[in-house]
Every structure is written in structure tokens, then in C-alpha cells.
Amino acid sequence: MATHIDRKSLKEDAFRDSMFWAIDWVYQRRQWFIAGVTAVLVVAAAGYGYYYYHRAQIQAQTERFYQAERTSEDPKLSPAERDAHGRKAYEAFVAAYPASRLAPVAWMHVARLAWQAGDADAARKAYQAVLAHAEATPPQRDLAHIGLGMLAESAGDLAAAAEQYNAVTE
């Protein structure tokens, strides 16, 4: 059966009435509303700022690490010069970004280049830096233990070498 529609029911608009109610509610609480909107905008701006800053830092670290790699692989230099310049570049990287996720990789390069140059103390310090770094992965730690074991073995300290080799995870 059809319902009877009168003139008054045609003039009622639920959406319009809801909007008028919402606008009135916001107007009555305008100070709280403005404070809330401002707080949301400040939090959003801070989040975007942190994201942008973090992304810029990661990009700068990556570029600096890439420069160190290019230096250590420069075909214009002799192998000894490449190793010397590459070692300095990697050491500069870890000095500039000691907490970077790429720092253990740079320390491994420093250790390798120091070992090749015959500087066992610098290689040992670099391997120990890898072990002490919070971002070092288990494979990187294993390689550092192996490197320390090889250093101890070359120095004739077989007990220390065995200790380092036993520290390698399986």
C-alpha cells in the first residue's frame, strides 16, 4: 500500500538536517575543534619531517658508501693505491656514519684492506668493530670471527684462533 506523503514530509531533508547539526556542534565547540585540527596538522607535519629527514640521511649514507666503493675500484689507480685510497674512504665512512647499517660492511672492507697491507692491528680493530656494531648481521659476525681467527692463526696463537673459529654459528 502506498504511504501518504504530505507537504511537510517533502520539505524534510535528513542530510541537510545532519549537516546543520554538525556545523552547529562544531561552532559551539570551535576552540576544541581548532585545537584538535591544529594538533593533527602538527603531528602530520612532524611525521612527514621525520620521514623526509630519515630518507635524506639514508640517501646520504648510501651515496657516501658508494663513493668509497668507487674509490676502491678506480681503474686509473694502481692496486696498491686503490687499496690505500679505498681504506681511507671506508674509514671516513665509518667515522661519518658509525651507527649506519652499512658500517659493518665498511668495517669488513677496512679489515680486508688492512690485512692485505700487512696491518694486522688495524684489521683486528676493524673485525672487533664489526662484532661490537649493533646492526651487524649474523653472517657478518661470523665473517669477523673467521677473520679474527685467521689473524690469530697467522700470529701463531692457535688457541685464540680455535676460540674464534668456534664462535662461528652453524
Side-chain angles (χ1 to χ4, degrees):
M1 299 242 206
T3 58
H4 180 64
I5 299 176
D6 60 359
R7 206 175 182 100
K8 184 178 178 183
S9 65
L10 286 176
K11 291 184 179 180
E12 292 176 2
D13 186 357
F15 177 75
R16 183 191 65 192
D17 292 344
S18 298
M19 290 305 296
F20 280 137
W21 177 85
I23 291 169
D24 185 51
W25 185 87
V26 168
Y27 181 76
Q28 289 175 5
R29 294 159 183 84
R30 63 186 168 269
Q31 288 178 335
W32 286 103
F33 182 77
I34 290 170
V37 168
T38 302
V40 166
L41 291 175
V42 166
V43 167
Y48 178 74
Y50 174 76
Y51 168 76
Y52 178 77
Y53 173 77
H54 183 68
R55 193 181 82 191
Q57 287 297 311
I58 296 292
Q59 187 175 5
Q61 290 174 17
T62 305
E63 179 58 33
R64 184 84 177 259
F65 186 82
Y66 181 62
Q67 286 175 352
E69 281 188 329
R70 283 192 311 237
T71 301
S72 69
E73 298 171 357
D74 189 357
K76 297 174 187 170
L77 301 174
S78 70
E81 290 175 325
R82 272 198 303 261
D83 291 349
H85 289 297
R87 181 175 167 188
K88 287 178 188 174
Y90 286 120
E91 287 172 343
F93 174 82
V94 293
Y97 302 105
S100 171
R101 288 183 177 212
L102 292 172
V105 178
W107 279 119
M108 292 298 288
H109 284 295
V110 169
R112 176 182 55 83
L113 294 169
W115 173 278
Q116 288 174 352
D119 191 356
D121 289 334
R124 184 176 293 105
K125 288 178 186 175
Y127 285 131
Q128 289 169 345
V130 171
L131 293 174
H133 199 279
E135 296 287 332
T137 63
Q140 290 168 337
R141 292 180 191 282
D142 289 345
L143 289 172
H145 282 298
I146 291 169
L148 287 170
M150 288 173 34
L151 284 169
E153 192 175 347
S154 69
D157 189 357
L158 298 180
E163 182 181 326
Q164 290 298 326
Y165 292 142
N166 289 331
V168 175
T169 59
E170 293 186 28

